[in-house]
Amino acid sequence: MARQHARTLWYDRPKYVFMEFCVEDSTDVHVLIEDHRIVFSCKNADGVELYNEIEFYAKVNSKDSQDKRSARSITCFVRKWKEKVAWPRLTKEDIKPVWLSVDFDNWRDWEGDEEVELAQVEHYAELLKKVSTKRPPPGMDDLDDDSDSAEATST
């Protein structure tokens, strides 16, 4: 079976470049972030192998980059080597693959927004951590028992 590319959204911030590989119910996920490229592969719910390799526009700090998996996608936070330098595109070459799009829901001019960006990154990472952390179900001790409420109304 031939490999396909995963639909990928990206946006730029002063310290990070964010990429979202849009694959629902992914399995066998592998993300390799190097100083000049990222290699992503996984299988989707139908067992189709997806593979993306992107040569970055500029050097990144691979050691201070990370990825988070959710049920709908895999998000990568890639730390720029040179902060506060806007990337006009994600790829080294001036081409736009059909599977790569700008995430206009998150894109904005960010000059002077470092504190806001850091708060958003921390908030997003915390949300992803909560989603991926399995917790025991909540206690149901505070729920009324029907037999108690029936006795209370009959007395």
Side-chain angles (χ1 to χ4, degrees):
M1 187 180 288
R3 292 193 289 194
Q4 299 178 9
H5 293 288
R7 181 172 162 259
T8 307
L9 300 173
W10 80 282
Y11 62 98
D12 185 33
R13 290 291 190 266
K15 294 182 183 178
Y16 290 89
V17 172
F18 294 83
M19 286 172 286
E20 181 179 14
F21 297 97
C22 304
V23 183
E24 289 189 31
D25 301 324
S26 59
T27 59
D28 211 15
V29 176
H30 299 283
V31 178
L32 173 65
I33 301 173
E34 297 177 339
D35 288 348
H36 294 283
R37 72 180 181 140
I38 186 168
V39 178
F40 167 80
S41 66
C42 74
K43 290 183 181 175
N44 67 11
D46 297 327
V48 175
E49 187 178 343
L50 303 169
Y51 179 86
N52 296 53
E53 184 172 342
I54 301 168
E55 295 286 329
F56 290 128
Y57 172 77
K59 186 176 180 182
V60 300
N61 184 345
S62 59
K63 295 186 181 5
D64 194 19
S65 299
Q66 59 183 318
D67 58 275
K68 297 287 183 188
R69 181 177 170 225
S70 71
R72 301 186 139 241
S73 64
I74 297 85
T75 303
C76 299
F77 311 84
V78 180
R79 182 78 181 245
K80 293 179 178 179
W81 192 261
K82 291 183 181 178
E83 296 178 5
K84 300 180 186 174
V85 176
W87 286 19
R89 61 185 180 274
L90 181 62
T91 59
K92 181 178 181 177
E93 295 183 26
D94 193 6
I95 57 169
K96 186 195 166 296
V98 295
W99 47 266
L100 181 63
S101 301
V102 172
D103 184 351
F104 286 108
D105 289 340
N106 289 303
W107 190 273
R108 71 170 193 266
D109 273 339
W110 45 256
E111 297 199 31
D113 283 351
E114 293 92 15
E115 292 164 12
V116 172
E117 179 224 353
L118 181 59
Q120 286 178 336
V121 167
E122 290 172 355
H123 177 71
Y124 189 62
E126 187 65 31
L127 285 175
L128 286 173
K129 185 190 273 187
K130 286 180 183 177
V131 167
S132 63
T133 303
K134 300 244 186 235
R135 296 187 178 145
M140 298 190 171
D141 299 337
D142 60 339
L143 296 177
D144 290 336
D145 185 10
D146 287 342
S147 62
D148 291 342
S149 60
E151 289 176 355
T153 56
S154 64
T155 54

